[in-house]
Amino acid sequence: MRSAMIVGLMIWAGAAGAAESPTKAMLLGVNKALALARQDSEACRGGALGGLKDARDAIETTRGNPTVEALTKARRALEDLLDAGGAGCGPATRDAMQEAAAAIKAGLDALANAPPSGVDKVKAEKRQCWNYRNDWSAVDPACHAPRDGHYPLPKAEIEAILAKIQGADDGFARVEVVNRDLAYEKKRYLSAAQLAAILARLETDIDRLEAVKTTARHLVDPKASGVAVQPIRDPAVRRDALQTIQEANE
């Protein structure tokens, strides 16, 4: 009875507070899913609580000022749980996860559509871009251009992947990093410039074509495919890579 009352209060609070703050709406959605998961089966608790806590923590770190990086992390945590069939949770818990993911997507859409509020804000956004190096003109234009609510990998994630590729023992191991960390089911979106940075660290054009095949469906700016394939030296392989990207995004 007490647990049911807690869940009921959280649902009521969500309706009352959603209009006040997008961040509060997202937190209420995730916390509702957490509360339901805690009352669900042992399998659900074991499979879902960790991911839900990761989503909650990512939102809470923004302290009421959500960022693309934080909300993308939270959304990915929820989508991974949903893709795993709700981690063994019951229908009510899965529905709450869906609602929380929808609230986070709405937050991302709001960030994408929000008009800039002055030069300082624009500069601050550019500083969050993965390739910002004290030069506004060199910032990847795809950093703040989402595709279906998805943004390119944030700075920390793309740098970690590039470091893994660079530190791999041989060419085969480098390709394995790409296949493992950027597989389609990982839902990690890239910009054309990020893909070019990855291809530049591979050893052969065949390896580069394999990486293009792995990542093509998750390019946020497929129209910039010419940028992505620049590291491919062989013209025939480059044409195959361009065709792969085009077909993956038709």
Side-chain angles (χ1 to χ4, degrees), residues 74-174:
R75 180 182 182 180
R76 187 177 299 139
L78 283 165
E79 286 182 339
D80 286 347
L81 290 175
L82 291 166
D83 286 347
C89 297
T93 306
R94 293 198 302 272
D95 288 347
M97 291 180 192
Q98 292 275 15
E99 291 169 7
I104 294 169
K105 181 183 183 300
L108 282 166
D109 290 342
L111 284 176
N113 297 323
S117 59
V119 175
D120 287 342
K121 181 177 179 181
V122 173
K123 288 183 177 180
E125 289 178 349
K126 288 180 177 178
R127 288 192 188 100
Q128 296 174 25
C129 190
W130 70 279
N131 69 340
Y132 169 70
R133 296 289 187 277
N134 292 317
D135 181 0
W136 309 122
S137 64
V139 171
D140 185 347
C143 275
H144 300 285
R147 178 182 180 186
D148 299 328
H150 295 283
Y151 288 78
L153 286 180
K155 183 181 180 71
E157 288 192 41
I158 187 64
E159 287 186 349
I161 290 173
L162 293 176
K164 281 187 192 178
I165 295 171
Q166 196 70 41
D169 292 335
D170 53 36
F172 177 79
R174 291 186 178 199

Side-chain angles (χ1 to χ4, degrees), residues 6 11 35 42 85 90 99 102 105 121 138 149-150 158 172 192 202 208 212 216 219 225 231-232 238 240:
I6 292 172
I11 295 171
E42 183 177 349
E99 291 169 7
K105 181 183 183 300
K121 181 177 179 181
H150 295 283
I158 187 64
F172 177 79
L202 301 179
R208 295 180 184 108
V212 169
L219 276 184
S225 57
I232 299 177
R238 191 183 302 124
D240 288 344

Side-chain angles (χ1 to χ4, degrees), residues 5-15 27-28 30-33 35:
M5 289 177 64
I6 292 172
V7 173
L9 284 171
M10 292 184 66
I11 295 171
W12 174 85
L27 275 175
L28 286 167
V30 174
N31 283 332
K32 174 185 172 183

Side-chain angles (χ1 to χ4, degrees), residues 207-239:
D207 290 346
R208 295 180 184 108
L209 180 58
E210 180 69 22
V212 169
K213 291 178 179 178
T214 298
T215 59
R217 286 188 290 175
H218 276 167
L219 276 184
V220 297
D221 53 347
K223 291 182 179 180
S225 57
V227 172
V229 303
Q230 281 179 358
I232 299 177
R233 301 182 183 92
D234 186 305
V237 178
R238 191 183 302 124
R239 283 195 299 272

Side-chain angles (χ1 to χ4, degrees), residues 235-248:
V237 178
R238 191 183 302 124
R239 283 195 299 272
D240 288 344
L242 288 170
Q243 184 176 353
T244 296
I245 293 171
Q246 179 182 349
E247 291 176 352

